[in-house]
Every structure is written in structure tokens, then in C-alpha cells.
Amino acid sequence: MIVGVGVDVVDVARFMATLERAPGLRARLFTPAERALPPASLAARFAAKEAIAKSLGAPAGMRWHDATVHRVSGGPPVVEVTGTVEAAARAAGVDRFHLSLSHDAGIASAMVVAERD
């Protein structure tokens, strides 16, 4: 059963300019492993975190580091939730997330479906 759906779109150049203007923002938004990604992938990860929050109804208090997107060779990206995001997912009855990422023509996007059995 679908619990929620979240979608987010990020202008890559604008996002990277924001990160350059506010150097501490990169560390606040991303885990150390995520920070090393190229700009389009980094923007897509940010879109994914936003879409995950939206799929859960955007509850207050979720921490950015508590949602991580992992690349899987030959497979779709995998969402790992911990801490505050895991608690929000559990409260909503979410068992799993389905994530699709894309980036082209300077735009990064993410679509998330939150599901429960």
C-alpha cells in the first residue's frame, strides 16, 4: 500500500552556487560519503532527501543526515533511513522507499514512493 509520494526538482547550478556561498551547508546536508559526489549527483541527492520528507508528510524535526541514498551497481538507488527519518517512517507505517533519480540539462530530480505492506 502506498503511504505517500514525494517529488523534488533542483537547478544544479543554482544549488551549487548556494553551497559555495554557504560553505557549512554542504556538511549540514550531506554525509561525508555524499559530499564527494559530482554536482549533478549531489543535487539529485538533495532532491531525494526533500522527496523522502514529502513522502512522509514533511514532519518537523527530521535531520538531513538521517536519509542517505546509496548507489547500487546495476540496480536502482537505495534509501537508507536512520534516526529521525526512520522514526517518522515507522510512525507512518512505512516499510520501504522506492526512489528514482534523474539529472539532465542542468536539472536534478527525485521521485519517492513510501510504501507499507
Side-chain angles (χ1 to χ4, degrees), residues 15-108:
F15 181 71
M16 295 310 293
T18 300
L19 291 181
E20 288 174 22
R21 275 194 317 273
L25 188 58
R26 187 182 296 246
R28 191 173 136 233
L29 296 175
F30 300 105
T31 64
E34 291 173 317
R35 289 179 214 147
L37 294 170
S41 295
L42 198 62
R45 292 312 186 280
F46 178 75
K49 291 172 188 244
E50 286 280 334
I52 290 164
K54 290 174 183 178
S55 76
L56 294 171
M62 292 195 305
R63 293 189 194 113
W64 294 101
H65 282 232
D66 291 346
T68 306
V69 176
H70 298 283
R71 290 191 258 187
V72 176
S73 181
V78 174
V79 174
E80 176 189 7
V81 295
T82 59
T84 59
V85 179
E86 182 179 28
R90 199 171 340 155
V94 173
D95 301 310
R96 66 192 149 278
F97 293 94
H98 304 277
L99 170 64
S100 179
L101 298 173
S102 185
H103 41 79
D104 188 29
I107 300 293

